[in-house]
């Protein structure tokens, strides 16, 4: 039935794509290669840098997604940079060689591939080098970042150290200069126990060739780049990575692309892809559930909050709708990361979060709203301070004028930094404490003067 649905997708497409698949003796999908005419055209225009991402499903089958990368690629939209999907029979030299050969057969521009970006666990490098002899194979900055993030959580380093490492990693990835990479390398060496440090492969940070392929991006471009790949890989995981049936996963993914992809957009050489499709919808079983939950949250905001509070929170909810990413959960607290710094959330009333928005306004922030959305819940009155309940405020200008100021901005920044430094000092060794205290002592004296002792 799933293969019949795959063929129906071909019939629905006015420009039929290339779809090759083999079925095993048990009627299971053995191999698959897919590329639409639009995807083929994108690769023909931007073949220089190829980004390969792998997604495993519960049955052990792996989906290879080929994406274009590099300075010339200015494509917007989910999966807009995807140019090829393939499922090899086996992830061995023979199976991958066959997959790459099919790709090359339908894409003559493969000879212009100069660089191929892969993840740290990509083992069949000899096969890749043999099939693309002129291309340089490098680890991708995105996959290194995801690898390090995962290791930070696995090592159970404690919240203060974990927060510092994640913040430093995010900052370094957005400005991957040699100096910043060296600082992150030194930070890892000082924060990670020596017995666990080899697991992080921190020497990758000092391999300048890896980062030259990423360093050309500005800080803003790097942030957008990581966010785009985060959403892309999340879509792939939702459709293919969570579905035991390979055929059904591919049908759902291809139908999503058929409905939302850049095939419906205008594309020409030298111009950016104009992709104005609707908000992300990645639930293959019930595509309207997320929209229904978010609509209920919006209704509860408008019903419970004052107009200004609802306006502020709806802005936070808009971010959640585009880029929420659940990191992990516990019995009482949940870590939420929305393609930014990780924050600690207390979902039980009165809800609280360590982020800047909540500390300033004491309103449900994007992280609290993400919790509500993930649990299919709505805002409750006891989650709001009294001054934000309906009928208590006049206008957004009045609220901002009374609640926000440059002094408050500085106070919050200093308070957050003080708390973080205090946590680090409490959890370090005596020798490390003396060294850090001495550094703070010198800094305080240099700011205020050598004759006035400042209590730290």
């Amino acid at each position: 039935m799933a293969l019949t649905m795959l063929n129906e997708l071909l019939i629905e497409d006015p420009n039929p794509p290339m779809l090759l698949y083999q079925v095993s003796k048990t009627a299971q999908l053995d191999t698959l290669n897919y590329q639409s005419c639009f995807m083929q055209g994108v690769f023909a225009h931007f073949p220089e840098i190829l980004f390969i991402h792998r997604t495993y499903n519960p049955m052990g089958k792996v989906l290879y997604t080929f994406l274009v990368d590099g300075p010339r690629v200015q494509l917007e939209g989910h999966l807009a940079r995807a140019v090829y999907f393939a499922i090899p029979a086996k992830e061995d030299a023979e199976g991958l060689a066959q997959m790459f050969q099919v790709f090359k057969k339908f894409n003559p521009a493969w000879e212009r591939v100069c660089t191929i970006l892969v993840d740290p666990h990509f083992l069949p490098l000899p096969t890749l080098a043999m099939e693309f002899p002129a291309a340089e194979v490098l680890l991708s900055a995105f996959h290194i970042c995801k690898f390090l993030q995962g290791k930070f959580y696995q090592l159970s380093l404690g919240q203060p150290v974990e927060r510092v490492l994640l913040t430093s990693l995010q900052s370094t990835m957005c400005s991957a200069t040699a100096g910043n990479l060296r600082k992150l390398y030194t930070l890892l060496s000082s924060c990670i126990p020596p017995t666990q440090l080899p697991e992080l492969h921190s020497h990758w940070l000092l391999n300048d060739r890896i980062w030259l392929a990423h360093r050309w991006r500005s800080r803003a471009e790097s942030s957008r780049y990581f966010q785009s790949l985060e959403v892309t890989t999340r879509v792939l995981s939702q459709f293919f990575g969570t579905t035991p049936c390979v055929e059904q996963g591919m049908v759902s993914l291809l139908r999503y692309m058929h409905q939302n992809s850049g095939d419906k957009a205008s594309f020409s050489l030298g111009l950016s892809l104009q992709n104005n499709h609707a908000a992300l919808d990645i639930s293959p079983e019930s595509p309207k559930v997320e929209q229904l939950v978010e609509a209920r949250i919006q209704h509860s905001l408008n019903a419970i909050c004052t107009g200004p509070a609802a306006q502020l929170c709806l802005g936070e909810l808009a971010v959640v709708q585009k880029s929420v990413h659940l990191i992990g959960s516990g019995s009482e607290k949940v870590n939420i990361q929305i393609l930014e710094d990780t924050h600690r959330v207390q979902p039980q009333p009165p809800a609280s979060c360590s982020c800047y928005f909540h500390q300033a306004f004491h309103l449900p922030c994007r992280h609290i709203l993400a919790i509500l959305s993930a649990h299919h819940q709505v805002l409750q009155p006891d989650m709001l301070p009294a001054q934000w309940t309906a009928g208590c405020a006049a206008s957004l200008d009045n609220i901002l004028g009374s609640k926000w100021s440059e002094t408050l901005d500085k106070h919050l920044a200093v308070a957050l930094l003080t708390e973080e430094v205090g946590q680090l000092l409490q959890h370090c060794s005596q020798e490390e404490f003396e060294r850090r205290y001495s550094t703070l002592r010198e800094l305080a004296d240099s700011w205020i003067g050598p004759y006035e002792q400042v209590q730290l």
Side-chain angles (χ1 to χ4, degrees), residues 327-394:
I327 293 299
S329 62
S331 58
E332 296 181 354
K333 294 186 177 180
V334 178
N335 292 330
I336 286 292
Q337 183 184 29
I338 306 178
L339 312 179
E340 53 172 46
D341 294 337
T342 301
H343 296 288
R344 197 70 62 174
V345 178
Q346 172 67 41
Q348 288 82 13
S352 64
C353 180
S354 60
C355 76
Y356 207 61
F357 179 91
H358 182 80
Q359 295 297 317
F361 296 109
H362 303 289
L363 281 171
C365 60
R366 63 189 69 176
H367 313 101
I368 294 174
L369 294 172
I371 297 284
L372 296 178
S373 178
H375 293 169
H376 294 185
Q377 297 174 350
V378 297
L379 188 70
Q380 301 298 327
D382 56 356
M383 300 177 73
L384 284 175
Q387 67 268 25
W388 286 113
T389 53
C392 292

Side-chain angles (χ1 to χ4, degrees), residues 67 171 205 443 448:
L67 303 99
S171 178
L205 299 173
L443 180 61
I448 302 176

Side-chain angles (χ1 to χ4, degrees), residues 213-273:
H214 172 66
R215 191 172 293 155
W216 56 268
R217 296 182 177 92
S218 67
R219 177 174 289 273
E221 289 171 334
S222 295
S223 179
R224 288 193 297 269
Y225 173 75
F226 280 101
Q227 178 174 344
S228 174
L229 285 176
E230 186 77 50
V231 174
T232 296
T233 56
R234 178 173 174 241
V235 169
L236 295 171
S237 295
Q238 286 286 339
F239 283 118
F240 186 83
T242 60
T243 307
C245 178
V246 175
E247 297 87 346
Q248 186 60 51
M250 286 307 302
V251 167
S252 300
L253 175 60
L254 296 181
R255 176 167 283 122
Y256 169 82
M257 285 197 66
H258 184 74
Q259 295 171 350
N260 300 279
S261 75
D263 285 328
K264 301 178 181 178
S266 59
F267 173 79
S268 60
L269 185 60
L271 297 178
S272 297
L273 175 67

Side-chain angles (χ1 to χ4, degrees), residues 157-185:
L157 302 170
Q159 180 184 347
V161 175
E162 185 180 281
R163 185 188 305 164
V164 169
L165 291 177
L166 289 171
T167 301
S168 180
L169 176 63
Q170 180 190 32
S171 178
T172 303
M173 292 300 104
C174 290
S175 181
T177 63
N180 288 341
L181 290 164
R182 169 63 69 174
K183 290 178 182 178
L184 179 59
Y185 176 85

Side-chain angles (χ1 to χ4, degrees), residues 15-182:
N15 298 309
M18 182 278 291
L19 175 63
L20 299 176
Y21 59 83
Q22 293 180 349
V23 180
S24 66
K25 294 180 180 179
T26 59
Q28 301 296 315
L29 188 65
D30 197 29
T31 67
L32 180 140
N33 295 270
Y34 175 90
Q35 185 179 48
S36 69
C37 295
F38 175 79
M39 295 163 76
Q40 190 177 43
V42 171
F43 178 72
H45 283 119
F46 309 111
E48 293 83 7
I49 302 178
L50 199 59
F51 180 104
I52 298 179
H53 179 75
R54 299 181 299 164
T55 308
Y56 287 86
N57 86 329
M59 302 304 294
K61 295 293 282 186
V62 57
L63 172 65
Y64 277 72
T65 303
F66 295 23
L67 303 99
V68 290
D69 207 310
R72 296 201 305 123
V73 181
Q74 300 295 327
L75 304 178
E76 297 178 359
H78 312 305
L79 292 172
R81 296 193 295 114
V83 295
Y84 198 80
F85 292 121
I87 300 176
K90 293 182 179 180
E91 210 175 6
D92 55 11
E94 181 181 357
L96 294 179
Q98 183 183 26
M99 178 187 73
F100 290 130
Q101 288 165 11
V102 173
F103 171 78
K104 294 193 296 181
K105 182 177 178 63
F106 287 92
N107 294 274
W110 75 268
E111 295 181 339
R112 293 160 54 198
V113 175
C114 300
T115 304
I116 300 177
L117 304 175
V118 298
D119 64 85
H121 301 292
F122 193 94
L123 297 179
L125 296 178
T127 303
L128 197 58
M130 181 176 63
E131 296 298 332
F132 296 87
E136 181 181 18
V137 181
L138 297 172
L139 295 180
S140 79
F142 173 78
H143 284 122
I144 290 178
C145 180
K146 298 301 293 182
F147 174 84
L148 291 175
Q149 279 183 345
K151 286 296 182 182
F152 294 162
Y153 293 120
Q154 290 176 14
L155 294 177
S156 301
L157 302 170
Q159 180 184 347
V161 175
E162 185 180 281
R163 185 188 305 164
V164 169
L165 291 177
L166 289 171
T167 301
S168 180
L169 176 63
Q170 180 190 32
S171 178
T172 303
M173 292 300 104
C174 290
S175 181
T177 63
N180 288 341
L181 290 164
R182 169 63 69 174

